[in-house]
Amino acid sequence: MSASHVLARLQFVQTKQESHMAQSIRDDDSVSNTSGNTSLTELVDRAIAQNPKRRLLLKSGLGMAAIPFLGGLAACGGGDDVVAPTPAPTPAPPVAPVEQMLGFKAVATSSGSEIVVPEGYIASAFAPWGSPINDLAPAWKGDATGTAAEQEQQVGDNHDGMAFFGFNAAGNGFGDRSDEGLLVMNHEYINPEYFYAPEIDATDWMAPFTFEKARKALAAHGISVLHVKRAADGSWEHVKSSPYNRRIHGNTPITIQGPAAGHPLMKTAADPSGTVALGTLNNCGNGRTPWGTYLTCEENFNGYFGWNGTRTATALENRYGISANGFGYRWHTVDSRFDVNATPNEPNRHGYIVEVDPFAPGSQATKRTALGRFKHENAALEVTPSGKVAVYMGCDERNEYVYKFVADGTFDAANPTSAANRSLLGKGTLYVARFGAGTTVGDNMGTGTWIPLKPDTVGVNSVALRDNPNFAAATDAEVLANIMIKTRQAADAVGATMMDRPEWVAVNPKKAGEVFITLTNNNRRGTTTASVNNPDGSTVAGSARPPVDEANPRANNVWGHIVRWNEAGGDGGTATTFDWDIFVLAGQPAVTGARAPSSNINAETLFNSPDGLDFDAFGRMWIQTDGSFANTGDFAGNGNNQMLVADPKTKEIRRFLVGPDGCEVTGITWSPDRKTMFVNIQHPGEVGSHPKAPAAYLALPSAERDNWIAKNPTAFSQWPTSGVRPRSATVVVRRTDGGVIGG
């Protein structure tokens, strides 16, 4: 491929402010628009915290079931343990009492190449990209010459959301053991500059681009299920001989279920029934269910599609950001499934929540269309006090919406893994949020409403029916199917609140009905040419420029914030209204006026772009970042991306972990005894604006930099293994004294 073609593709992709993303591929940080326009309550009883049987009882009832499930990690093997120094000869501290909400010494920021954790903690890299999925799989090739067939048998790339599922006492199913279980993790995308071995073209390391390369990339997406076991010394190993180990990737058949299944917009020549999709893509955040299944979330699916020749995009394609060249993956140039001219309905089969049973390795995953189609970040599931199952979700793009799904059925706590419970996500009501102002202007709080996305609320004249030439003849089922495929457009029609890039949602396990969401950043709000999404759903994705509002108070919100809401009556399963407030506004403490951060931000708690979010069983809220690591200007003092912990009652925040150069910290889960934490380190080595970028890299025009790093893959980062190209991996964090994490 010629240099001019490469440059054209690179220039098509827009960069995020001080983006860490690769130059050639823009994923969750991209904007689909192609224009250039600019709350702690009661604490867990110590006996419950230390008694697995009591935990299991809670988990099968409404107590533990109310825990939000977000986790998601990747792993890297072969790296040495990183132990934070504990001053000698002082003995290891005793296990901190549960009453200490934040019982650790905060760490400082860092722009270094290693994981930083508090004193008395150890962090070990585990299961990196390319690790053999079982004892029959081929070894990863350090020169990136592995094949698609080999990648299908190896851990995928760019680990994201994840969850730990403990085995039962017999070791043959879902339970609450802490020493052995299944670690299930997402693989969001690839970094081409590290993923492909350079060939002979001096200006384009990916040339020639082939069907084999596209298939290899597809194989690195999806999820990995790993059987893991804790050793006597507290470390963890991958049980490679286990039949539970498996990969679900971009070419794996997946059942389509729910209102959209079989709809004309879901049918293709390869699947005329519209009920079986091939693959799951851009698997970002996650969720988990109290019946023992894993939820993987399809986010930026649009970036994989493009078209050869000419095409005028439809309103539906525009609203979801389908464009001629996508994010520059090039798949559409060699695989007709991703060429919208050849297979126009294929994009409609992606953008859903996918449910996977990790304890049934021969089972087929299911796309749950009742939860809507959009750029799903994660799925925070809780069983509410009324016994209803609620799932909270954000659509990860600037100026998009916050959603809630409430299942029609009621959770059977006496039989948590019953067939009835396992079908709960198949039918229910999807809502979208409207955040209203309070009585006092500028107090960053107000009231909100959940608007149901149903035929009688969206309306027959909305864009949700525009593919049906006879509006009056459309049945409710047809309308509902349209809404589930065109969820963004349905939300436009009912006037939902456009938010500053809604990402992970987390439910407080210690206070019923209290929910938090990260709003990562938004530099496309409050401009002089303000506009909102058209109610007819015709707005091109990401192209609106809404004015500031109470829930999104900053015009150029480069730092992001976290919003909290409390459901009416403390029950998200029955509430249609809520009260909300801003929990934290990130930013620089020296800044005053409209851009000023909240009072819980100071020189010791600097961070930007909150992204991953989850609660542990004790009610600590863990905040992960995916933002600028430039460490200058608006981001001075921030260092690398990091993970912090917050007390929801006092709003105190402490930094717990800092990642290595160029990474995002994402995905978190715990063993049931809370003595092991798994955290994902994604895309280490994405150079971007890092202050330690190689001089030779910086000397080149931006369009040529990925080409250089592809040919010098160890020049910037060698995490987690010295002398080897950087690889996403899971980090296993534990205390040197064997105590509970964070206490």
Side-chain angles (χ1 to χ4, degrees), residues 571-730:
D571 194 323
T574 60
T576 56
T577 61
F578 56 88
D579 295 324
W580 67 266
D581 69 297
I582 293 181
F583 179 78
V584 61
L585 284 160
Q588 292 287 351
V591 173
T592 59
R595 298 184 70 218
S598 48
S599 59
N600 48 350
I601 296 298
N602 54 50
E604 284 71 48
T605 58
L606 286 173
F607 71 91
N608 74 90
S609 299
D611 191 332
L613 195 71
D614 204 353
F615 276 90
D616 62 23
F618 306 109
R620 307 181 187 98
M621 186 169 74
W622 298 77
I623 305 165
Q624 301 172 313
T625 72
D626 176 23
S628 173
F629 39 61
N631 211 32
T632 188
D634 279 341
F635 309 104
N638 283 230
N640 292 341
N641 278 301
Q642 56 187 285
M643 182 167 70
L644 310 99
V645 194
D647 181 333
K649 183 176 181 180
T650 67
K651 294 190 176 184
E652 179 187 0
I653 298 174
R654 292 187 194 176
R655 186 180 300 106
F656 181 85
L657 176 151
V658 181
D661 304 328
C663 82
E664 169 188 350
V665 180
T666 183
I668 185 172
T669 191
W670 296 263
S671 57
D673 61 8
R674 308 311 186 205
K675 293 182 179 181
T676 300
M677 170 193 283
F678 301 91
V679 181
N680 270 345
I681 298 299
Q682 187 183 91
H683 61 69
E686 282 192 352
V687 190
S689 58
H690 200 280
K692 292 165 56 182
Y697 171 92
L698 293 174
L700 295 168
S702 59
E704 298 177 19
R705 292 177 177 178
D706 274 0
N707 191 64
W708 184 88
I709 205 72
K711 297 176 179 180
N712 300 274
T714 61
F716 174 55
S717 173
Q718 299 175 28
W719 192 89
T721 308
S722 178
V724 179
R725 68 183 60 226
R727 294 195 282 170
S728 293
T730 299

Side-chain angles (χ1 to χ4, degrees), residues 153-177:
Q153 304 173 70
Q154 298 167 340
V155 172
D157 199 6
N158 278 320
H159 311 3
D160 207 311
M162 70 178 166
F164 178 89
F165 294 85
F167 275 117
N168 56 20
N172 61 2
F174 177 46
D176 201 38
R177 284 175 57 180

Side-chain angles (χ1 to χ4, degrees), residues 11 53 89 157 241 280-281 327 331 378 450 482 556 580 620 643 674-675 708 712-713 715 720:
Q11 289 175 335
K53 292 183 179 180
D157 199 6
S241 60
T280 178
L281 300 171
F327 292 161
W331 297 358
N378 82 309
W450 290 109
N482 273 276
N556 186 25
W580 67 266
R620 307 181 187 98
M643 182 167 70
R674 308 311 186 205
K675 293 182 179 181
W708 184 88
N712 300 274

Side-chain angles (χ1 to χ4, degrees), residues 334-367:
V334 295
D335 187 343
S336 62
R337 180 155 71 103
F338 298 95
D339 178 356
V340 185
N341 269 331
T343 318
N345 283 347
E346 186 67 23
N348 303 329
R349 296 151 60 85
H350 300 275
Y352 299 99
I353 299 294
V354 182
E355 186 170 11
V356 178
D357 185 350
F359 292 95
S363 64
Q364 192 160 286
T366 303
K367 296 201 178 192

